[in-house]
Amino acid sequence: MSPTTELRVERVKGAVNAAPVLGEAEFREFQAMIFAVAGIHMPASKRTMVAGRLSKRLKALELGSYAAYWRYLKANAAEKQTAVDLLTTNETYFFREPRHFEFLRDRILAERRRQGRFRLWSAACSSGEEAYTAAMVLADTLGASGWEVLASDISTQVLEKARAGRYPLARTDRIPPECLKRHCLKGIGEAAGTLMVDPVLRSRVEFRQINLNTRLPDVGEFDVIFLRNVMIYFNTETKQQIVARLQACLRPGGYLLIGHSETLNGFQNGLEAVAPSIYRKRK
């Protein structure tokens, strides 16, 4: 067989095995599913992103089209959670938006008057960096006891990573050096190039799967709730519902912190703005 013939065969083979295309009708199905489950709005501009993330499952399940994957997903409840894991965005890092952690340390904790256990909720914790950052601040300010952190996310996949508390060293460059020494362990041998949050600190953070778009489980009341960089994916009605649910979980005088690019303008009844992206529940 000549080189030209071989090249022609490869081209034909490539055409036959071309990557499946996510059509508009199938995209609307997945768009409606993620909105119904998580309240997340996926605009038309996210179609390529949705196709890219779900293509992993098509390949794993040896399915030839997104329509076939949609049929499979409808018939398998566990697969719906897998799809949600793939479609939810999970970008985070330690000490992200550091002014919030400075406010926690220098204002909230410094002015604390209430006796009893201090409770903080990282309500969209992703792979855990936000929750562990808060735990570091609480440990350094309040000591080894008298506080607790609840961390939740809708994605079971990122929660597994969060519970492990192991991260690439490159992801930890924002942790202050002294804090790094106190609360983190550097991997050696096969674990070289990674960092693990100290087991003592990890034990103070409880990770739970919680869907903010549905009725919340009984989690009690909190002094501080972080809900950062997640509301940009919700429409106005969903934002109102989620904020109302979380506000009910705040103690009077408790704080709700959102992302710097987000706002509660128009639906912060019962909350007063004390700084950009920081709100307090009226007493």
Side-chain angles (χ1 to χ4, degrees), residues 226-242:
F226 280 70
L227 182 69
R228 306 191 306 165
N229 306 303
V230 64
M231 287 194 296
I232 55 176
Y233 303 106
F234 302 137
N235 63 23
T236 300
E237 182 181 2
T238 304
K239 289 178 184 177
Q240 291 175 327
Q241 294 170 349
I242 290 175

Side-chain angles (χ1 to χ4, degrees), residues 224-268:
V224 176
I225 297 177
F226 280 70
L227 182 69
R228 306 191 306 165
N229 306 303
V230 64
M231 287 194 296
I232 55 176
Y233 303 106
F234 302 137
N235 63 23
T236 300
E237 182 181 2
T238 304
K239 289 178 184 177
Q240 291 175 327
Q241 294 170 349
I242 290 175
V243 170
R245 292 185 189 108
L246 294 184
Q247 183 178 326
C249 296
L250 274 176
R251 291 185 172 118
Y255 290 85
L256 175 65
L257 282 67
I258 64 176
H260 288 312
S261 62
E262 301 170 317
T263 179
L264 298 186
N265 288 345
F267 53 93
Q268 74 269 31

Side-chain angles (χ1 to χ4, degrees), residues 136 169 172 175-185 195:
M136 292 177 192
L169 279 175
T172 62
I175 303 177
E178 290 304 313
C179 197
L180 194 65
K181 292 178 182 178
R182 283 192 296 270
H183 302 298
C184 302
L185 305 173
L195 174 145

Side-chain angles (χ1 to χ4, degrees), residues 86-140:
L86 290 171
L87 294 177
T88 47
T89 301
N90 301 300
E91 179 186 0
T92 187
Y93 45 85
F94 288 97
F95 285 90
R96 185 181 187 184
E97 298 182 347
R99 289 183 181 177
H100 283 158
F101 298 104
E102 293 168 5
F103 188 89
L104 172 63
R105 182 192 64 222
D106 300 335
R107 174 83 175 266
I108 299 176
L109 296 176
E111 297 179 358
R112 183 180 178 226
R113 297 292 180 268
R114 191 187 68 81
Q115 299 300 312
R117 186 174 294 273
F118 186 93
R119 303 189 72 223
L120 184 147
W121 182 8
S122 172
C125 71
S126 187
S127 47
E129 288 93 331
E130 177 181 272
Y132 287 131
T133 300
M136 292 177 192
V137 174
L138 293 175
D140 289 345

Side-chain angles (χ1 to χ4, degrees), residues 36-87:
V37 173
I40 296 174
H41 173 60
M42 292 283 187
S45 60
K46 297 291 185 181
R47 186 161 147 189
T48 301
M49 182 272 284
V50 170
R53 293 189 179 185
L54 295 182
S55 65
K56 302 172 185 177
R57 295 303 295 157
L58 269 68
K59 184 176 181 180
L61 297 168
E62 298 183 346
L63 297 173
S65 70
Y66 288 94
Y69 179 61
W70 175 249
R71 292 191 295 271
Y72 180 84
L73 183 150
K74 288 198 298 182
N76 296 269
E79 188 62 32
K80 180 180 287 188
Q81 179 62 57
T82 300
V84 169
D85 287 349
L86 290 171
L87 294 177

